[in-house]
Amino acid sequence: MASPTVINLSGSIPVSCFAWNGDRTQICVSFSTPEVYIYQKQGSSWDKIHSLLEHDQRVLSIDWEPQSNLLATCGEDRNAYVWKLESDGKWKPGLVVLRINRAATCVRWSPSGEKFAVGSGARIVSICYFQEEHNWWVAKNIKSGIRSTVTCLDWHPNSTLLAVGSSDFHVRLFSAAIKGVDKRPEDTSWAESSQLRTFGSLLHTWKSEVDGWVHDVAFSPAGEVLAWVSHSSCVCFVHSSDTSKILSVHEHSLPYRCCMFANENLLIAAGHSCAPNLYKCAGGEWKFEKSLDSGAKALSMME
Amino acid sequence: MAKNTSSSAFRKIDVDQYSEDNFKEDDGDQGGPAGPDENEVNSLLQKYPFLHYNTRKYMEALKSVLSNAPLGSKNQQVKENAVNLTLRVLLAVKPSQIEEAVNSLSPDLIDILMKYIYRGFEYPSEGSSGHLLIWHEKVYNIGGVGCIVRVLSDTRRA
């Protein structure tokens, strides 16, 4: 098994959130502080080239749009900013009119790159798009049914469907097409186009029998499978072909905190048990395949 | 003084219940089994340990209490009865046979069993904790840490 590339940025300070740029030559990180830094790859080392200082409190999530190179950050100060690299080589923050009264917990650009979703502790998901005449980003809110903090988001490849995970143990699928910004929605395997035309309509709700806070939610690359990991040490899958059935894998290890699909049949999940694990779909059933990190020793304080 | 201060009833209102931010749990019974049948389990327990060719009866008793566990119920009496009955089964099984019993259970029943083991720790009687610790060890070998995490995170309590 190939050993992983280690990118040592800060010595021993934990990285709380990060995002790659489009070609993976730069990485944007935050270390549980209000500051955001951009590191550039130089040979085999990484140099800090920018400091983005605008947030007043801890930054909770970062996402970097690969095509437009716009950077979105959000945090506990109830704000989100869209950063743009200006011609003078400096990153300037753009105003996002969010108007929430709790922390902004997660931010994700849509695959189309024209809007982004912000989840918050105000039990709202804000879909933000750019208004040219005012030079700011405006939010349209999705509220229906969410009863606790939004912890994670993921867009369907068509940029119209949004999966939302929350600490109320549920995963919900919403329509998030905005008139004037998105093209007219088409039929998808999850919902018909008529349901997609109403912004913010709740299309599906899922809660597995063994519940727990939803830590991360992910669509497969083609958008036909939705997966989530929860604090009950479970990985759950729903296929668009049968949305009434939740395929749940009960794990023996500590809960996962994040998950992402490698392809339609492979999911990678990682969390409190440290090593990332691979899950494979065979014959419609998802099973643990193998661990991707073999027997790493715990980091000593001296390293 | 003005008349409207004569009543102090307003001091007894719980204003927090009207707060918009309150998280309201799902109400009502969540369905699922209504609790194990006491008579059936008692008869199974009585047959074990006296008839040595019926030692499989304890496994049936165990499966019966776990499959019928009233986890979704909001009725405290039903849950109390289920806890007492399940603990009787757990404490009746001989330590040497615990491993075999645990190996015969499906993953779902393993999770439910761990919930009752922890409930059992809450009400210790003479020698019960030591016995339950053996159960805990055997279930942990199969269910791992994840099984214990589910005891803590699952809202359907034993």
Side-chain angles (χ1 to χ4, degrees), chain A residues 102 123 147-148 168-169 209-211 231-234 250-255, chain B residues 20-21 23-26 108 111 142-146 149-150 153-156:
Chain A
R102 291 289 186 280
R123 301 171 295 158
R147 283 149 71 213
S148 186
D168 68 0
F169 318 130
E209 262 205 10
V210 183
D211 48 18
H231 205 73
S232 54
S233 285
C234 293
H250 290 201
E251 253 307 318
H252 299 140
S253 53
L254 291 171
Chain B
E20 249 190 15
D21 290 339
F23 177 74
K24 289 179 186 58
E25 296 266 357
D26 282 330
D108 286 339
D111 286 345
I142 306 248
V145 180
V149 170
R150 278 186 282 282
S153 72
D154 199 348
T155 48
R156 302 171 310 161

Side-chain angles (χ1 to χ4, degrees), chain B residues 2-13:
Chain B
K3 260 196 228 167
N4 61 1
T5 56
S6 60
S7 165
S8 62
F10 68 91
R11 296 186 191 279
K12 298 196 178 73
I13 303 174

Side-chain angles (χ1 to χ4, degrees), chain B residues 138-150:
Chain B
K138 301 298 177 202
V139 176
Y140 174 76
N141 287 339
I142 306 248
V145 180
C147 177
I148 300 178
V149 170
R150 278 186 282 282

